[in-house]
Amino acid sequence: MGAVVLYLAVILAAAKLGGDLAVRVGQPAVLGELVAGVILGNLGALGVSAFEPIKTDASIDMLSRIGVLVLLFEVGLESTVAQMLKVGVTSFFVATLGVVAPFALGWLFGAWLLPEASPYVHAFLGATLTATSVGITARVLQDLKASQSAEARIILGAAVIDDVLGLVILAVVTGILGAADRGGAMSYGEIGIVFGKALVFLVGSLVIGAKLSRRLFSVASRLRARGVLLALGLAFCFFLSWLAGLIGLAPIVGAFAAGLVLEDLHFRDFTARGESTLEHLVQPISSFLVPIFFVLMGARTDLGAFGQPGVPLLAAALTVAAILGKQACSLGVGKGIDRLTIGVGMVPRGEVGLIFANIGQTLTVGGKPVISGAVFSAVVAMVIVTTMFTPPALKWSLSRRAAKSPKPPIPGAHDAH
Amino acid sequence: MGAVVLYLAVILAAAKLGGDLAVRVGQPAVLGELVAGVILGNLGALGVSAFEPIKTDASIDMLSRIGVLVLLFEVGLESTVAQMLKVGVTSFFVATLGVVAPFALGWLFGAWLLPEASPYVHAFLGATLTATSVGITARVLQDLKASQSAEARIILGAAVIDDVLGLVILAVVTGILGAADRGGAMSYGEIGIVFGKALVFLVGSLVIGAKLSRRLFSVASRLRARGVLLALGLAFCFFLSWLAGLIGLAPIVGAFAAGLVLEDLHFRDFTARGESTLEHLVQPISSFLVPIFFVLMGARTDLGAFGQPGVPLLAAALTVAAILGKQACSLGVGKGIDRLTIGVGMVPRGEVGLIFANIGQTLTVGGKPVISGAVFSAVVAMVIVTTMFTPPALKWSLSRRAAKSPKPPIPGAHDAH
């Protein structure tokens, strides 16, 4: 307990100092939090080892995970199910293109740079490039007050679908690899089950959840204890996160779904009697917990990994594949939507890519791990670069778009209708 | 991670349901949270074992500890150092009387009911009755909107001093016991060091902290990231909690000191530009984390412990000693202060008594543990009863006092001055 509170104090102070510097140079605060984390986490190389345990402390890790749930819940609260359905088809195309292209590019680059490795390794490398880490993008959009734009909704929707597709790919690749290692093959039935569960969860939580939560909060508004709205809102978020995890999806998908499902209408009984809205109440909790996630993500970045032999070239190739691959997403959107913003917003891989690579280290083909130590370092480098790339790139693409978009008509020069 | 979010959802929902029922029957919400916890924690006896892991889950435990820090920080924010110093002398008398009387009573009752045990055991039993667990009282006072009354300040100040005295007693008793077990004696120097550290911390944090924090927040107000006030306020709270723990005090003493030191004046730069006050921002975090502490405290209550042979009588005696002993506190206050409220407010022992008893189980005199299994169960029962006793008793004593206090003068019947 003693050390945890010190780490919390250090993380919060570092996050705000870093955030301030980032905002001063015109960047989203989250970039500053990441950089503050990188500095904290690499002080060990300068002989300052006091903060080394932050990277592996179980309590800090858990708080950061709750933090990213709260972030996705908060972002979900800003949109409604109806708004998301409006961009649903577009998001689906964006997600599919954004999975196929990096997968293919990763495979190709793997075959080119690691010719001696088995095709399974190349396929797995492609798979690590598929899933978008929505946390970074959600936070940048929030920092730039753009999380309610059509682009933001498409990206967030696509990232959720992405997660489902990534899950299916991981299950399929892992299954095929395992079967190959044992000398057999994976059944289509197993693939179908993974996909079916994900679909049932998303449709179920959005359709049934919307009806249920309305009734739930109508009953809850009659409870007399202090802080009922916030506590039950969070309970709902945590419950759906658990449910998502239970069926094998990322818990953040559940948190986002919970936020989408809850609408102001559900708790008008609370706001009518002068209580704050749920969005307003969640904000301080997110100010507390979300920076922990980003500082920790920065702190876990081992700058030394970049220097290992063979790593820089593979890392560069994977990063190019990761960034270029996601630009295919822009082909999925129609007119009036900024294609570049979509492509850039889908770039960050964050923890999802790391989870893939981690699993790859535990799998073997012909007695050798699918992901070797050097390849893992290259994946880490790719995750770092895509993560650091997104905040400034997204800011630039959004501001470029704002400059291009038609000005409101000049008074007096109105058009005829 | 999966299970933790489910437990969080269950805890938050149970807390609000329990709180609602308590408020409906005219009791503070915290009593309902405790009872909800007792029910959750004892469902195992009815064959429902799904929530058993809540009691021992490391993440839930850590969140509950952060919760009680936030609670004490919040309560501290409601008062200023100047207001506390005004009641300082009274608090000191209240604390001293409230330590001496239960210590003596516990010793006497121990000697009476456990005549075969060594006097060291009786002394240790007395020591477990000394320290007030301020969490319960702070929360009840908050539920009843009485945390800014003179009584509340005296109780909270006394509970802090109590903690320091309890620490000294624990160090002294443990030292004497250890020395006796080895056949030696404890030096006065060691006692002096414990006392000195505590004194330096309290004076240091209140005097230096007040000046430093003013400067700190004046600088912080120039930071441009979102949520700076809250993040740095919490960082300050966690830092002082760590510092308190570092020198051997309870971390909650540091959190309370942090809250006391921070005054609205320090962050007028924030509020002047329309941001919420720190008190206001901390509220949602406390609505989220504080119920976890109380539900967990309830859940860890093993109702089965009451039934062990020999336990009921010893438990009853310890409870009487705990409640009556703290009534001596009322002798420490002057006119205009409700004596009964002071005595009742100092009653709860909570986790502090359990920590003492826990340490007692690990100490030996003549090869036998100072606190046996049965005695430990009796201490647990005493903690439960004093904890459950306080919310309704404090509510009753405060309402009784409100009924007795002079009504504001009837308009027209004004006195001559």
Side-chain angles (χ1 to χ4, degrees):
Chain A
M1 181 63 183
V4 171
V5 286
L6 176 65
Y7 299 153
L8 282 179
V10 170
I11 287 172
L12 290 174
K16 291 304 147 188
L17 283 176
D20 171 63
L21 290 176
V23 171
R24 268 175 213 276
V25 298
Q27 293 303 328
V30 63
L31 185 65
E33 295 177 9
L34 284 167
V35 173
V38 170
I39 295 172
L40 264 186
N42 287 279
L43 280 177
L46 302 175
V48 182
S49 61
F51 305 124
E52 284 299 301
I54 287 180
K55 298 177 200 174
T56 50
D57 187 279
S59 299
I60 298 293
D61 180 65
M62 201 266 306
L63 287 172
S64 83
R65 284 161 189 265
I66 296 181
V68 74
L69 291 182
V70 170
L71 172 63
L72 269 288
F73 181 56
E74 194 184 9
V75 171
L77 280 175
E78 288 171 7
S79 296
T80 66
V81 175
Q83 289 167 335
M84 289 302 294
L85 286 180
K86 220 185 273 175
V87 298
V89 178
T90 311
S91 286
F92 183 77
F93 282 120
V94 168
T96 309
L97 289 163
V99 161
V100 172
F103 185 65
L105 275 179
W107 191 321
L108 278 176
F109 283 24
W112 169 43
L113 290 168
L114 301 169
E116 73 291 352
S118 90
Y120 292 123
V121 172
H122 308 150
F124 204 91
L125 219 44
T128 62
L129 296 183
T130 54
T132 299
S133 173
V134 70
I136 294 272
T137 298
R139 175 65 195 279
V140 174
L141 291 168
Q142 198 183 56
D143 280 354
L144 302 175
K145 300 193 195 328
S147 43
Q148 296 191 49
S149 63
E151 283 83 2
R153 288 203 185 102
I154 292 172
I155 293 171
L156 295 173
V160 168
I161 299 170
D162 226 30
D163 199 86
V164 176
L165 293 177
L167 176 85
V168 173
I169 291 178
L170 182 69
V172 171
V173 173
T174 311
I176 292 173
L177 269 169
D181 202 34
R182 290 188 309 269
M186 192 196 183
S187 80
Y188 286 103
E190 287 167 295
I191 299 174
I193 287 170
V194 174
F195 204 77
K197 281 195 300 188
L199 206 70
V200 166
F201 175 78
L202 281 181
V203 174
S205 65
L206 295 185
V207 176
I208 306 174
K211 290 200 192 271
L212 261 185
S213 74
R214 196 164 181 170
R215 181 152 300 201
L216 183 75
F217 280 86
S218 161
V219 172
S221 70
R222 282 178 233 140
L223 296 184
R224 300 187 191 179
R226 189 180 90 134
V228 168
L229 177 58
L230 178 63
L232 292 187
L234 288 173
F236 188 69
C237 159
F238 294 141
F239 178 72
L240 280 196
S241 304
W242 170 76
L243 213 58
L246 189 69
I247 64 162
L249 285 172
I252 49 173
V253 172
F256 182 68
L260 274 187
V261 158
L262 293 185
E263 288 167 23
D264 287 347
L265 194 66
H266 299 185
F267 25 86
R268 60 179 167 192
D269 293 341
F270 290 94
T271 44
R273 61 179 192 240
E275 287 191 32
S276 299
T277 62
L278 192 51
E279 262 179 80
H280 196 82
L281 291 167
V282 168
Q283 251 181 38
I285 297 177
S286 117
S287 300
F288 167 32
L289 294 176
V290 175
I292 301 173
F293 177 76
F294 291 106
V295 171
L296 187 62
M297 199 187 256
R300 285 186 179 156
T301 301
D302 178 12
L303 291 181
F306 288 97
Q308 286 175 38
V311 171
L313 184 61
L314 187 59
L318 284 181
T319 305
V320 169
I323 293 176
L324 283 190
K326 286 289 180 187
Q327 300 318 307
C329 293
S330 63
L331 302 175
V333 299
K335 270 182 92 171
I337 299 294
D338 191 57
R339 288 165 190 277
L340 188 64
T341 298
I342 300 289
V344 169
M346 298 294 289
V347 162
R349 295 311 194 281
E351 76 291 356
V352 191
L354 292 178
I355 291 170
F356 272 43
N358 228 350
I359 294 171
Q361 285 192 305
T362 65
L363 296 174
T364 54
V365 169
K368 283 205 293 188
V370 174
I371 299 288
S372 69
V375 174
F376 185 79
S377 291
V379 172
V380 171
M382 176 276 290
V383 168
I384 295 168
V385 177
T386 57
T387 298
M388 295 291 181
F389 163 87
T390 307
L394 201 53
K395 184 187 153 88
W396 168 76
S397 92
L398 278 169
S399 65
R400 182 190 129 278
R401 189 211 163 204
K404 256 180 36 182
S405 72
K407 293 270 184 305
I410 300 150
H414 59 84
D415 45 0
H417 63 247
Chain B
M1 181 62 183
V4 172
V5 287
L6 177 64
Y7 298 154
L8 281 179
V10 170
I11 288 172
L12 289 174
K16 290 305 148 186
L17 282 176
D20 171 63
L21 290 175
V23 171
R24 267 175 214 277
V25 298
Q27 293 304 328
V30 63
L31 185 65
E33 295 178 7
L34 284 167
V35 173
V38 170
I39 295 172
L40 265 186
N42 287 276
L43 280 177
L46 302 174
V48 182
S49 61
F51 306 123
E52 284 300 299
I54 287 180
K55 298 177 199 173
T56 49
D57 187 277
S59 299
I60 299 292
D61 180 66
M62 200 264 306
L63 287 172
S64 84
R65 284 161 190 265
I66 296 181
V68 75
L69 292 183
V70 170
L71 172 63
L72 269 288
F73 181 55
E74 194 183 10
V75 171
L77 281 175
E78 290 172 5
S79 295
T80 65
V81 175
Q83 289 166 334
M84 290 302 293
L85 286 180
K86 220 185 271 176
V87 298
V89 178
T90 310
S91 286
F92 182 77
F93 282 120
V94 167
T96 309
L97 289 163
V99 161
V100 171
F103 186 66
L105 274 180
W107 190 322
L108 278 176
F109 282 27
W112 170 43
L113 291 168
L114 302 167
E116 74 290 353
S118 90
Y120 293 121
V121 173
H122 308 150
F124 203 90
L125 220 43
T128 63
L129 296 183
T130 55
T132 298
S133 172
V134 71
I136 294 273
T137 297
R139 175 66 196 278
V140 173
L141 292 167
Q142 199 183 54
D143 279 353
L144 301 175
K145 302 193 192 327
S147 44
Q148 297 191 48
S149 63
E151 284 83 1
R153 287 201 183 103
I154 293 173
I155 293 170
L156 295 172
V160 168
I161 299 170
D162 227 29
D163 200 86
V164 176
L165 293 177
L167 178 84
V168 173
I169 291 178
L170 182 68
V172 171
V173 172
T174 311
I176 292 174
L177 269 168
D181 202 33
R182 292 187 308 270
M186 191 196 184
S187 80
Y188 285 103
E190 287 167 293
I191 300 174
I193 287 170
V194 173
F195 204 78
K197 281 196 298 189
L199 206 69
V200 166
F201 175 78
L202 280 181
V203 174
S205 63
L206 294 185
V207 176
I208 306 173
K211 289 201 193 267
L212 262 185
S213 73
R214 196 167 183 167
R215 181 154 300 206
L216 183 75
F217 279 85
S218 161
V219 173
S221 70
R222 282 178 233 140
L223 296 185
R224 299 184 191 180
R226 187 181 91 134
V228 168
L229 177 59
L230 178 62
L232 292 187
L234 287 173
F236 187 70
C237 159
F238 294 141
F239 179 72
L240 281 196
S241 303
W242 169 75
L243 213 59
L246 190 70
I247 64 163
L249 284 174
I252 49 172
V253 172
F256 183 68
L260 274 187
V261 158
L262 293 185
E263 287 168 23
D264 286 348
L265 195 65
H266 298 185
F267 25 89
R268 60 179 168 194
D269 294 340
F270 290 94
T271 45
R273 62 180 191 238
E275 289 192 30
S276 299
T277 63
L278 192 52
E279 261 179 81
H280 197 81
L281 290 168
V282 168
Q283 251 182 37
I285 297 176
S286 116
S287 299
F288 167 32
L289 294 176
V290 175
I292 301 173
F293 178 75
F294 291 106
V295 170
L296 187 62
M297 199 187 256
R300 284 185 178 157
T301 300
D302 177 13
L303 291 180
F306 288 96
Q308 287 174 34
V311 172
L313 184 62
L314 187 59
L318 285 182
T319 306
V320 169
I323 295 176
L324 283 189
K326 286 291 180 186
Q327 300 317 306
C329 294
S330 64
L331 301 174
V333 298
K335 269 180 96 173
I337 300 294
D338 191 56
R339 288 166 189 275
L340 189 63
T341 298
I342 300 289
V344 170
M346 299 293 289
V347 161
R349 296 311 195 282
E351 76 292 355
V352 191
L354 292 178
I355 290 171
F356 272 42
N358 228 350
I359 293 171
Q361 284 191 305
T362 65
L363 297 172
T364 54
V365 169
K368 283 204 293 187
V370 174
I371 299 288
S372 68
V375 173
F376 184 78
S377 291
V379 172
V380 171
M382 176 277 290
V383 168
I384 295 168
V385 177
T386 56
T387 298
M388 295 291 181
F389 163 88
T390 308
L394 201 52
K395 184 188 151 88
W396 169 75
S397 92
L398 279 169
S399 66
R400 182 190 127 276
R401 188 210 163 203
K404 255 179 42 185
S405 72
K407 294 268 184 301
I410 299 152
H414 60 83
D415 46 358
H417 61 248

